[in-house]
Amino acid sequence: KHSRYWARPASTAADAVATTMLEAYALAERSKDFGDLHLALTAKLAAWRAVMVRTFKSRGDGVFLDNLMERARAAVLTASQDYVNHVWALRDTAGGRLAGAVSASGAVFDYRVHAARLIEALALQYFLDDDATRRQIAAERLVRICVAEPGAAQPASDRYAVSVVAAVRALVDMGRRDDAARYLKMVA
């Protein structure tokens, strides 16, 4: 609402996407202020999806949307890195187990939600990062979570089952078909 007071009205579809992206980024930054790095990632991912939809619908609107899409991709990568690094540090502090890092009244459910969020963010990092070293770290972490964390194979609902697809695609892409098959069997 706030951005609409000072942002110029969107006269084109591309301008509307830019305004949407700006609002998503404002939400993401505010979410980070409150320590909710996953909401920040989700807001940036939603903005990237909006740009992709507009880009694919426009067919050749060109440089502006391509530039926005690249900026949104980079923002999603940064947000996923922030989220993963935060959760990984909590996991390490809890003795290398994600379940130990989740302490809430609904810990059994929350653990499965955090595991799904983590594998999705790791898969995003794996696919989006151009840096070979960081990409390898994301791959190793993804394999470790899929193999060692039972909650990663127990999606809490259909919403979180989508994370399974991202993880399996990444495992297959990195040549870990056996791990992907074993992981899918655990999920099933």
Side-chain angles (χ1 to χ4, degrees):
K1 212 174 191 184
H2 174 72
S3 65
R4 290 192 180 115
Y5 286 120
W6 53 267
R8 65 188 164 109
S11 57
T12 66
D15 287 347
V17 170
T19 302
T20 299
M21 200 165 152
L22 179 67
E23 290 173 347
Y25 284 29
L27 173 63
E29 291 308 309
R30 191 68 177 135
S31 299
K32 283 171 52 177
D33 291 344
F34 285 102
D36 193 338
L37 297 176
H38 187 263
L39 182 56
L41 169 59
T42 301
K44 289 182 178 181
L45 192 54
W48 188 31
R49 288 177 178 146
V51 174
M52 280 191 278
V53 167
R54 174 53 54 203
T55 301
F56 295 133
K57 282 184 177 179
S58 69
R59 293 192 188 127
D61 204 2
V63 177
F64 178 73
L65 286 175
D66 289 344
N67 188 339
L68 267 185
M69 189 150 56
E70 180 51 34
R71 288 173 185 257
R73 184 200 69 78
V76 168
L77 174 59
T78 300
S80 67
Q81 289 167 335
D82 291 346
Y83 174 72
V84 166
N85 291 337
H86 175 72
V87 173
W88 207 263
L90 293 175
R91 182 184 171 276
D92 286 346
T93 301
R97 302 289 298 170
L98 184 59
V102 177
S103 58
S105 59
V108 172
F109 180 80
D110 285 350
Y111 163 63
R112 292 164 46 203
V113 167
H114 285 289
R117 288 175 172 177
L118 183 58
I119 63 173
E120 186 173 31
L122 284 165
L124 280 169
Q125 267 189 272
Y126 173 78
F127 283 117
L128 297 178
D129 207 327
D130 294 330
D131 182 275
T133 303
R134 286 192 309 258
R135 188 178 163 136
Q136 183 61 34
I137 291 168
E140 290 168 6
R141 287 177 170 180
L142 180 61
V143 169
R144 196 172 311 147
I145 293 297
C146 288
V147 169
E149 293 286 352
Q154 301 169 354
S157 70
D158 289 348
R159 157 59 189 102
Y160 298 101
V162 172
S163 303
V164 172
V165 176
V168 169
R169 291 217 41 225
L171 290 169
V172 169
D173 188 75
M174 62 180 84
R176 309 282 306 239
R177 285 186 176 274
D178 291 342
D179 288 329
R182 210 171 336 186
Y183 174 65
L184 276 176
K185 283 181 185 176
M186 290 178 1
V187 170

